[in-house]
Amino acid sequence: MSRSQEVNEQKLEELQGKVLGDVAGSLGLLMAYLGDRLDLYSALAELGEATSEQLSENTGLDERYVREWLSANAAAGYVEYSAERRAFSMTPEQAVLFSAEGHPACMQGFFQAVVSNYLDEPKVHEVFRSGEGLPWSEHNTCLFCSTERFFRPMYAANLVESWIPALDGVRKKLERGAKVADVGCGHGSSTVLLAEAFPNSTFHGFDFHAPSIEHARDRARNAGVAGNTIFEVVGASDYPGGGYDLVAIFDALHDMGDPVGACAHIRRTLKDDGTFMLVEPAAGDSLEENLHPLGQIYYSFSTMICTPASRAQPVGLALGAQAGEKRLTEVLREGGFTRVRRATETPTNMVLEARP
Ligand SMILES: C[S@@+](CC[C@H](N)C(=O)[O-])C[C@H]1O[C@@H](n2cnc3c(N)ncnc32)[C@H](O)[C@@H]1O
């Protein structure tokens, strides 16, 4: 180690403190995931307050394990502990975040996504060495469920209420009856929400991952929108039909191998007065603008999922999940769109409107 690389003890301590917090956090979300799978949070929220014995009895789970799990949660600040009564409880905020399935603030889908990344680490390890890709289909199924679980509440809160109205003239077309494609639709959360809100329109969900399309069909049947949704297993550059009024891609363009080819196909299949709605992760245009916790989260998911998924496909452009508006606009223009603007945004996503 050269003189200039000497360790500054104070900086080392600060870094240790920060990383110790990260270690605690990584274990905290593992505890949260375990609690979700074992229905411990919902049981505790239901009981109001419980000792480990009462929670064990209520859930039919082993008391000693339940006590250790509760202790870890109390230390993390995920549940409250009363030393006087030896009892645990949850504040309304803790109950929402850990157990209110479908609520936009519930983070269990997020935790599940992180756990799925840990499960797939050996596969990603391999592609770092080989330089090859890792197809979406080769991830464990936990990833597909967590994607749906994590994204759906966000779409439910924003898509119909604010994203569609932010697009020029689109809401009216959907109300009257329009032809829409949702490309890379996954489990079809966005497709089904739109089909529920706009019964006069027809929604085509396309994804090349067959098990996801099966799920999407189930979701549509369960939501009572099988009549105005059609799901098909097909790639973004090959989906059938034309004359679409609206084509949308939700958090999937950067996963594609050939995003320019996909945009060009969208341009070809869109009416001349049609709209392409592109939803992508929020990001600045340079790495230095993305050096914060949200950037860390996106770059990490992108290392584990998005970049290898793109690399696994022809062209393998590997845009990454933090491509930023400038780079995305270039891709849209190369694909044949001339007018691109940021229609709206949330803290985690940007919504771009592209017109021919
Ligand atoms: C992160 S998921 C998003 C799924 C969905 N849009 C959502 O928001 O829940 C990315 C999706 O893109 C799909 N995908 C990736 N590349 C594709 C391609 N070239 N053609 C079609 N689908 C693709 C994957 O199968 C996956 O379902």
Side-chain angles (χ1 to χ4, degrees), residues 136 151 155 184-186 207-209 234-236 250-252 255-256 313:
W136 180 255
F151 284 150
Y155 299 155
C185 67
D207 199 293
F208 69 177
H209 185 233
V234 66
F250 297 89
D251 269 299
D255 294 293
M256 294 175 184
Q313 300 178 33

Side-chain angles (χ1 to χ4, degrees), residues 66-102:
V66 168
R67 187 170 10 124
E68 211 67 359
W69 177 85
L70 280 166
S71 304
N73 273 269
Y78 293 179
V79 304
E80 301 299 301
Y81 177 59
S82 159
E84 216 174 69
R85 296 187 292 282
R86 286 182 49 258
F88 300 86
S89 61
M90 291 169 85
T91 64
E93 298 75 27
Q94 288 165 339
V96 164
L97 201 143
F98 294 106
S99 66
E101 188 67 40

Side-chain angles (χ1 to χ4, degrees), residues 22 125 128 130 136 205 210 293:
D22 293 348
H125 181 116
F128 264 72
S130 67
W136 180 255

